[in-house]
Amino acid sequence: MRKKYICGNWKMNKTPDEALVFAREINEKNLDDVDILIAAPFVDLDILKKNLNKNIKVAAQNVSEYSDGAYTGEISTTMLKSMEISDVIIGHSERREIYLEDDTTINNKVIHAIGEGLDVILCVGESLKTRENEEHFFHVKNQILEGLSNVEDIDKVTIAYEPIWAIGTGNTCSPEDAEKMCENIRNTIRERYKDAADKIRILYGGSVKPDNAAEILSKDDIDGVLVGGASLKVDDFVKIINYKENL
Ligand code: PGA
């Protein structure tokens, strides 16, 4: 049985002071027994790590594919590890679309991060045009195969399926369509990694809110959610963590 995984992605939001307020507030809440993670801006990682209760993991939203050296503006796996950060999101659609990270760069980051002992949440997802052309299954399969090229240690990987047209738009993918894609992703993993497909967690992301989380999370092949906007408010994020109350 895969344990549900509720992940927040703050994107470029919250100063360290605001992160501290969030940490103190959420520490007071009763949280269901799910795995919980918050991916925060680099400047917030230390304060979260030191102040959040230990049952909430702290992750970076990006990491360099290089070890160290002349890479202005980048953050290395060594730096993350020195702060005891052991999880990182790689390949978020905003990294792909705005910062033009391609599958090769993303694959290099995944290989480097796993090689350095980090756990990776690899994001995939199609644009509206790709879905309208009915190429979404092919597109996502390709992103998975390329993103995981030469990756052996699949136990270090979580996949997040985030259709670009559903991110920050209020247009959630229907739970049925999300489930269908997550099932396809699991089949792709099975072709290459055999039984590990039963263990890997596949998340859905894109306009997940307190009022739709329970329906999404009740699907067999959806093992968790990656939540952007609704992870910024403690009350909303806690309602998603405690989604079973709405079943
Ligand atoms: P959203 O973002 O929940 O605000 O749509 C999800 C994400 O980009 O991870």
Side-chain angles (χ1 to χ4, degrees):
M1 189 63 189
R2 297 178 295 267
K3 195 168 181 181
K4 294 286 188 196
Y5 199 5
I6 311 297
C7 303
N9 174 16
W10 283 358
K11 310 191 179 186
M12 197 174 70
N13 291 291
K14 292 195 191 292
T15 62
D17 284 350
E18 290 164 342
L20 181 59
V21 170
F22 184 102
R24 286 186 175 148
E25 222 179 293
I26 200 167
N27 285 346
E28 298 302 314
K29 305 285 185 185
N30 287 322
L31 304 178
D32 276 1
D33 183 24
V34 292
D35 286 337
I36 306 169
L37 171 147
I38 294 175
F42 291 124
V43 294
D44 297 338
L45 296 179
D46 191 48
I47 205 146
L48 286 179
K49 191 73 200 172
K50 287 182 177 145
N51 289 281
L52 272 176
N53 284 350
K54 296 296 165 230
N55 59 337
I56 303 180
K57 286 201 288 182
V58 181
Q61 300 171 2
N62 185 23
V63 72
S64 173
E65 66 270 49
Y66 304 112
S67 298
D68 51 46
Y71 302 103
T72 301
E74 293 291 298
I75 300 280
S76 71
T77 51
T78 312
M79 294 168 186
L80 294 181
K81 288 197 293 183
S82 76
M83 299 165 84
E84 292 174 30
I85 301 295
S86 51
D87 293 81
V88 61
I89 293 178
I90 294 179
H92 189 279
S93 63
E94 286 148 19
R95 299 296 320 168
R96 295 176 188 260
E97 301 280 302
I98 306 171
Y99 298 99
L100 307 181
E101 288 187 13
D102 60 13
D103 283 319
T104 307
T105 304
I106 288 161
N107 178 235
N108 288 339
K109 290 187 175 197
V110 171
I111 290 174
H112 184 65
I114 292 178
E116 292 292 312
L118 297 180
D119 287 330
V120 166
I121 298 177
L122 171 65
C123 298
V124 295
E126 80 285 357
S127 65
L128 188 57
K129 189 158 173 274
T130 303
R131 181 163 277 259
E132 283 171 353
N133 290 342
E134 296 185 7
E135 289 165 351
H136 46 295
F137 290 121
F138 174 77
H139 177 83
V140 168
K141 181 171 185 167
N142 237 24
Q143 284 182 319
I144 302 264
L145 293 178
E146 303 228 343
L148 294 179
S149 175
N150 294 314
V151 171
E152 302 305 330
D153 202 356
I154 193 70
D155 290 352
K156 306 287 285 174
V157 179
T158 297
I159 308 277
Y161 167 57
E162 300 203 302
I164 297 172
W165 47 273
I167 293 178
T169 57
N171 300 327
T172 332
C173 187
S174 76
E176 290 69 32
D177 283 345
E179 161 89 336
K180 213 181 281 175
M181 181 62 88
C182 291
E183 196 186 332
N184 263 269
I185 291 172
R186 200 174 301 285
N187 290 338
T188 300
I189 298 290
R190 194 177 306 283
E191 282 169 24
R192 185 135 166 246
Y193 298 97
K194 312 287 180 257
D195 292 351
D198 296 320
K199 270 176 61 194
I200 192 169
R201 288 192 287 196
I202 302 172
L203 319 178
Y204 167 77
S207 297
V208 175
K209 306 276 180 254
D211 59 3
N212 61 20
E215 199 185 352
I216 293 166
L217 284 159
S218 65
K219 298 289 179 197
D220 279 350
D221 266 309
I222 302 180
D223 305 315
V225 284
L226 183 54
V227 187
S231 71
L232 293 170
K233 289 200 185 120
V234 171
D235 284 346
D236 285 351
F237 194 47
V238 168
K239 279 185 196 146
I240 295 172
I241 292 168
N242 294 344
Y243 69 93
K244 286 198 193 107
E245 288 168 10
N246 284 329
L247 282 178

mmCIF file with all atom_site columns, all heavy atoms in Angstrom, residues 9 11 92 94 162 166-168 206-208 226-229, ligand 1:
data_model
loop_
_atom_site.group_PDB
_atom_site.id
_atom_site.type_symbol
_atom_site.label_atom_id
_atom_site.label_alt_id
_atom_site.label_comp_id
_atom_site.label_asym_id
_atom_site.label_entity_id
_atom_site.label_seq_id
_atom_site.pdbx_PDB_ins_code
_atom_site.Cartn_x
_atom_site.Cartn_y
_atom_site.Cartn_z
_atom_site.occupancy
_atom_site.B_iso_or_equiv
_atom_site.pdbx_formal_charge
_atom_site.auth_seq_id
_atom_site.auth_comp_id
_atom_site.auth_asym_id
_atom_site.auth_atom_id
_atom_site.pdbx_PDB_model_num
ATOM   1   N N   . ASN A 1 9   ? 4.098  23.316 -2.967  1.00 0.00 ? 9   ASN A N   1
ATOM   2   C CA  . ASN A 1 9   ? 5.134  23.989 -3.754  1.00 0.00 ? 9   ASN A CA  1
ATOM   3   C C   . ASN A 1 9   ? 4.873  25.481 -3.655  1.00 0.00 ? 9   ASN A C   1
ATOM   4   O O   . ASN A 1 9   ? 3.948  25.996 -4.272  1.00 0.00 ? 9   ASN A O   1
ATOM   5   C CB  . ASN A 1 9   ? 5.050  23.504 -5.214  1.00 0.00 ? 9   ASN A CB  1
ATOM   6   C CG  . ASN A 1 9   ? 5.993  24.274 -6.127  1.00 0.00 ? 9   ASN A CG  1
ATOM   7   O OD1 . ASN A 1 9   ? 6.911  24.954 -5.655  1.00 0.00 ? 9   ASN A OD1 1
ATOM   8   N ND2 . ASN A 1 9   ? 5.772  24.171 -7.426  1.00 0.00 ? 9   ASN A ND2 1
ATOM   9   N N   . LYS A 1 11  ? 6.609  27.899 -4.741  1.00 0.00 ? 11  LYS A N   1
ATOM   10  C CA  . LYS A 1 11  ? 7.132  28.693 -5.871  1.00 0.00 ? 11  LYS A CA  1
ATOM   11  C C   . LYS A 1 11  ? 7.885  29.913 -5.313  1.00 0.00 ? 11  LYS A C   1
ATOM   12  O O   . LYS A 1 11  ? 8.523  29.792 -4.279  1.00 0.00 ? 11  LYS A O   1
ATOM   13  C CB  . LYS A 1 11  ? 5.991  29.076 -6.807  1.00 0.00 ? 11  LYS A CB  1
ATOM   14  C CG  . LYS A 1 11  ? 5.147  27.846 -7.179  1.00 0.00 ? 11  LYS A CG  1
ATOM   15  C CD  . LYS A 1 11  ? 4.189  28.077 -8.280  1.00 0.00 ? 11  LYS A CD  1
ATOM   16  C CE  . LYS A 1 11  ? 3.444  26.781 -8.575  1.00 0.00 ? 11  LYS A CE  1
ATOM   17  N NZ  . LYS A 1 11  ? 2.580  26.856 -9.712  1.00 0.00 ? 11  LYS A NZ  1
ATOM   18  N N   . HIS A 1 92  ? 9.893  21.081 -12.994 1.00 0.00 ? 92  HIS A N   1
ATOM   19  C CA  . HIS A 1 92  ? 8.578  21.729 -12.910 1.00 0.00 ? 92  HIS A CA  1
ATOM   20  C C   . HIS A 1 92  ? 8.305  22.459 -14.227 1.00 0.00 ? 92  HIS A C   1
ATOM   21  O O   . HIS A 1 92  ? 9.219  22.994 -14.849 1.00 0.00 ? 92  HIS A O   1
ATOM   22  C CB  . HIS A 1 92  ? 8.539  22.704 -11.728 1.00 0.00 ? 92  HIS A CB  1
ATOM   23  C CG  . HIS A 1 92  ? 7.156  23.218 -11.479 1.00 0.00 ? 92  HIS A CG  1
ATOM   24  N ND1 . HIS A 1 92  ? 6.617  24.248 -12.208 1.00 0.00 ? 92  HIS A ND1 1
ATOM   25  C CD2 . HIS A 1 92  ? 6.190  22.813 -10.615 1.00 0.00 ? 92  HIS A CD2 1
ATOM   26  C CE1 . HIS A 1 92  ? 5.369  24.460 -11.787 1.00 0.00 ? 92  HIS A CE1 1
ATOM   27  N NE2 . HIS A 1 92  ? 5.094  23.604 -10.822 1.00 0.00 ? 92  HIS A NE2 1
ATOM   28  N N   . GLU A 1 94  ? 7.201  25.255 -14.852 1.00 0.00 ? 94  GLU A N   1
ATOM   29  C CA  . GLU A 1 94  ? 7.678  26.648 -14.906 1.00 0.00 ? 94  GLU A CA  1
ATOM   30  C C   . GLU A 1 94  ? 9.178  26.696 -15.200 1.00 0.00 ? 94  GLU A C   1
ATOM   31  O O   . GLU A 1 94  ? 9.658  27.641 -15.829 1.00 0.00 ? 94  GLU A O   1
ATOM   32  C CB  . GLU A 1 94  ? 7.306  27.364 -13.599 1.00 0.00 ? 94  GLU A CB  1
ATOM   33  C CG  . GLU A 1 94  ? 5.822  27.676 -13.569 1.00 0.00 ? 94  GLU A CG  1
ATOM   34  C CD  . GLU A 1 94  ? 5.173  27.653 -12.201 1.00 0.00 ? 94  GLU A CD  1
ATOM   35  O OE1 . GLU A 1 94  ? 5.881  27.744 -11.182 1.00 0.00 ? 94  GLU A OE1 1
ATOM   36  O OE2 . GLU A 1 94  ? 3.925  27.520 -12.157 1.00 0.00 ? 94  GLU A OE2 1
ATOM   37  N N   . GLU A 1 162 ? 1.562  17.041 -13.829 1.00 0.00 ? 162 GLU A N   1
ATOM   38  C CA  . GLU A 1 162 ? 0.942  18.358 -13.726 1.00 0.00 ? 162 GLU A CA  1
ATOM   39  C C   . GLU A 1 162 ? 0.644  18.907 -15.127 1.00 0.00 ? 162 GLU A C   1
ATOM   40  O O   . GLU A 1 162 ? 1.531  19.485 -15.768 1.00 0.00 ? 162 GLU A O   1
ATOM   41  C CB  . GLU A 1 162 ? 1.885  19.327 -13.008 1.00 0.00 ? 162 GLU A CB  1
ATOM   42  C CG  . GLU A 1 162 ? 2.239  18.903 -11.603 1.00 0.00 ? 162 GLU A CG  1
ATOM   43  C CD  . GLU A 1 162 ? 2.671  20.091 -10.760 1.00 0.00 ? 162 GLU A CD  1
ATOM   44  O OE1 . GLU A 1 162 ? 3.631  20.770 -11.151 1.00 0.00 ? 162 GLU A OE1 1
ATOM   45  O OE2 . GLU A 1 162 ? 2.041  20.347 -9.754  1.00 0.00 ? 162 GLU A OE2 1
ATOM   46  N N   . ALA A 1 166 ? -3.629 23.217 -16.291 1.00 0.00 ? 166 ALA A N   1
ATOM   47  C CA  . ALA A 1 166 ? -4.365 23.164 -15.022 1.00 0.00 ? 166 ALA A CA  1
ATOM   48  C C   . ALA A 1 166 ? -3.621 23.875 -13.895 1.00 0.00 ? 166 ALA A C   1
ATOM   49  O O   . ALA A 1 166 ? -4.141 23.997 -12.792 1.00 0.00 ? 166 ALA A O   1
ATOM   50  C CB  . ALA A 1 166 ? -4.624 21.712 -14.629 1.00 0.00 ? 166 ALA A CB  1
ATOM   51  N N   . ILE A 1 167 ? -2.392 24.342 -14.178 1.00 0.00 ? 167 ILE A N   1
ATOM   52  C CA  . ILE A 1 167 ? -1.574 24.928 -13.106 1.00 0.00 ? 167 ILE A CA  1
ATOM   53  C C   . ILE A 1 167 ? -1.928 26.402 -12.921 1.00 0.00 ? 167 ILE A C   1
ATOM   54  O O   . ILE A 1 167 ? -1.797 27.193 -13.851 1.00 0.00 ? 167 ILE A O   1
ATOM   55  C CB  . ILE A 1 167 ? -0.074 24.781 -13.414 1.00 0.00 ? 167 ILE A CB  1
ATOM   56  C CG1 . ILE A 1 167 ? 0.305  23.302 -13.381 1.00 0.00 ? 167 ILE A CG1 1
ATOM   57  C CG2 . ILE A 1 167 ? 0.766  25.567 -12.419 1.00 0.00 ? 167 ILE A CG2 1
ATOM   58  C CD1 . ILE A 1 167 ? 1.761  23.047 -13.732 1.00 0.00 ? 167 ILE A CD1 1
ATOM   59  N N   . GLY A 1 168 ? -2.399 26.728 -11.722 1.00 0.00 ? 168 GLY A N   1
ATOM   60  C CA  . GLY A 1 168 ? -2.674 28.110 -11.365 1.00 0.00 ? 168 GLY A CA  1
ATOM   61  C C   . GLY A 1 168 ? -3.824 28.731 -12.143 1.00 0.00 ? 168 GLY A C   1
ATOM   62  O O   . GLY A 1 168 ? -4.011 29.948 -12.139 1.00 0.00 ? 168 GLY A O   1
ATOM   63  N N   . GLY A 1 206 ? -2.060 20.631 -10.058 1.00 0.00 ? 206 GLY A N   1
ATOM   64  C CA  . GLY A 1 206 ? -2.750 21.568 -10.955 1.00 0.00 ? 206 GLY A CA  1
ATOM   65  C C   . GLY A 1 206 ? -4.086 21.951 -10.354 1.00 0.00 ? 206 GLY A C   1
ATOM   66  O O   . GLY A 1 206 ? -5.043 21.196 -10.430 1.00 0.00 ? 206 GLY A O   1
ATOM   67  N N   . SER A 1 207 ? -4.103 23.145 -9.697  1.00 0.00 ? 207 SER A N   1
ATOM   68  C CA  . SER A 1 207 ? -5.340 23.672 -9.089  1.00 0.00 ? 207 SER A CA  1
ATOM   69  C C   . SER A 1 207 ? -5.985 22.704 -8.092  1.00 0.00 ? 207 SER A C   1
ATOM   70  O O   . SER A 1 207 ? -7.202 22.588 -8.033  1.00 0.00 ? 207 SER A O   1
ATOM   71  C CB  . SER A 1 207 ? -6.347 24.087 -10.178 1.00 0.00 ? 207 SER A CB  1
ATOM   72  O OG  . SER A 1 207 ? -5.804 25.142 -10.951 1.00 0.00 ? 207 SER A OG  1
ATOM   73  N N   . VAL A 1 208 ? -5.137 22.020 -7.318  1.00 0.00 ? 208 VAL A N   1
ATOM   74  C CA  . VAL A 1 208 ? -5.670 21.205 -6.215  1.00 0.00 ? 208 VAL A CA  1
ATOM   75  C C   . VAL A 1 208 ? -6.059 22.154 -5.083  1.00 0.00 ? 208 VAL A C   1
ATOM   76  O O   . VAL A 1 208 ? -5.289 23.044 -4.713  1.00 0.00 ? 208 VAL A O   1
ATOM   77  C CB  . VAL A 1 208 ? -4.635 20.177 -5.714  1.00 0.00 ? 208 VAL A CB  1
ATOM   78  C CG1 . VAL A 1 208 ? -5.171 19.427 -4.492  1.00 0.00 ? 208 VAL A CG1 1
ATOM   79  C CG2 . VAL A 1 208 ? -4.272 19.201 -6.827  1.00 0.00 ? 208 VAL A CG2 1
ATOM   80  N N   . LEU A 1 226 ? 0.585  17.568 -5.620  1.00 0.00 ? 226 LEU A N   1
ATOM   81  C CA  . LEU A 1 226 ? 1.561  18.657 -5.545  1.00 0.00 ? 226 LEU A CA  1
ATOM   82  C C   . LEU A 1 226 ? 0.751  19.947 -5.658  1.00 0.00 ? 226 LEU A C   1
ATOM   83  O O   . LEU A 1 226 ? 0.120  20.199 -6.681  1.00 0.00 ? 226 LEU A O   1
ATOM   84  C CB  . LEU A 1 226 ? 2.592  18.528 -6.676  1.00 0.00 ? 226 LEU A CB  1
ATOM   85  C CG  . LEU A 1 226 ? 3.735  19.545 -6.709  1.00 0.00 ? 226 LEU A CG  1
ATOM   86  C CD1 . LEU A 1 226 ? 4.491  19.605 -5.395  1.00 0.00 ? 226 LEU A CD1 1
ATOM   87  C CD2 . LEU A 1 226 ? 4.715  19.211 -7.835  1.00 0.00 ? 226 LEU A CD2 1
ATOM   88  N N   . VAL A 1 227 ? 0.761  20.711 -4.580  1.00 0.00 ? 227 VAL A N   1
ATOM   89  C CA  . VAL A 1 227 ? -0.169 21.828 -4.433  1.00 0.00 ? 227 VAL A CA  1
ATOM   90  C C   . VAL A 1 227 ? 0.580  23.151 -4.478  1.00 0.00 ? 227 VAL A C   1
ATOM   91  O O   . VAL A 1 227 ? 1.491  23.366 -3.677  1.00 0.00 ? 227 VAL A O   1
ATOM   92  C CB  . VAL A 1 227 ? -0.892 21.722 -3.066  1.00 0.00 ? 227 VAL A CB  1
ATOM   93  C CG1 . VAL A 1 227 ? -1.975 22.778 -2.960  1.00 0.00 ? 227 VAL A CG1 1
ATOM   94  C CG2 . VAL A 1 227 ? -1.455 20.328 -2.845  1.00 0.00 ? 227 VAL A CG2 1
ATOM   95  N N   . GLY A 1 228 ? 0.212  24.031 -5.398  1.00 0.00 ? 228 GLY A N   1
ATOM   96  C CA  . GLY A 1 228 ? 0.852  25.340 -5.465  1.00 0.00 ? 228 GLY A CA  1
ATOM   97  C C   . GLY A 1 228 ? 0.111  26.337 -4.592  1.00 0.00 ? 228 GLY A C   1
ATOM   98  O O   . GLY A 1 228 ? 0.300  26.386 -3.375  1.00 0.00 ? 228 GLY A O   1
ATOM   99  N N   . GLY A 1 229 ? -0.772 27.117 -5.209  1.00 0.00 ? 229 GLY A N   1
ATOM   100 C CA  . GLY A 1 229 ? -1.474 28.214 -4.526  1.00 0.00 ? 229 GLY A CA  1
ATOM   101 C C   . GLY A 1 229 ? -2.058 27.835 -3.171  1.00 0.00 ? 229 GLY A C   1
ATOM   102 O O   . GLY A 1 229 ? -1.891 28.574 -2.194  1.00 0.00 ? 229 GLY A O   1
HETATM 103 P P1  . PGA B 2 .   ? -1.328 25.225 -8.479  1.00 0.00 ? 1   PGA B P1  1
HETATM 104 O O1  . PGA B 2 .   ? 0.177  24.837 -8.816  1.00 0.00 ? 1   PGA B O1  1
HETATM 105 O O2  . PGA B 2 .   ? -1.803 24.291 -7.396  1.00 0.00 ? 1   PGA B O2  1
HETATM 106 O O3  . PGA B 2 .   ? -1.283 26.667 -8.018  1.00 0.00 ? 1   PGA B O3  1
HETATM 107 O O4  . PGA B 2 .   ? -2.133 25.053 -9.725  1.00 0.00 ? 1   PGA B O4  1
HETATM 108 C C1  . PGA B 2 .   ? 0.606  23.509 -8.842  1.00 0.00 ? 1   PGA B C1  1
HETATM 109 C C2  . PGA B 2 .   ? 2.080  23.427 -9.191  1.00 0.00 ? 1   PGA B C2  1
HETATM 110 O O5  . PGA B 2 .   ? 2.532  24.151 -10.085 1.00 0.00 ? 1   PGA B O5  1
HETATM 111 O O6  . PGA B 2 .   ? 2.840  22.643 -8.595  1.00 0.00 ? 1   PGA B O6  1
#
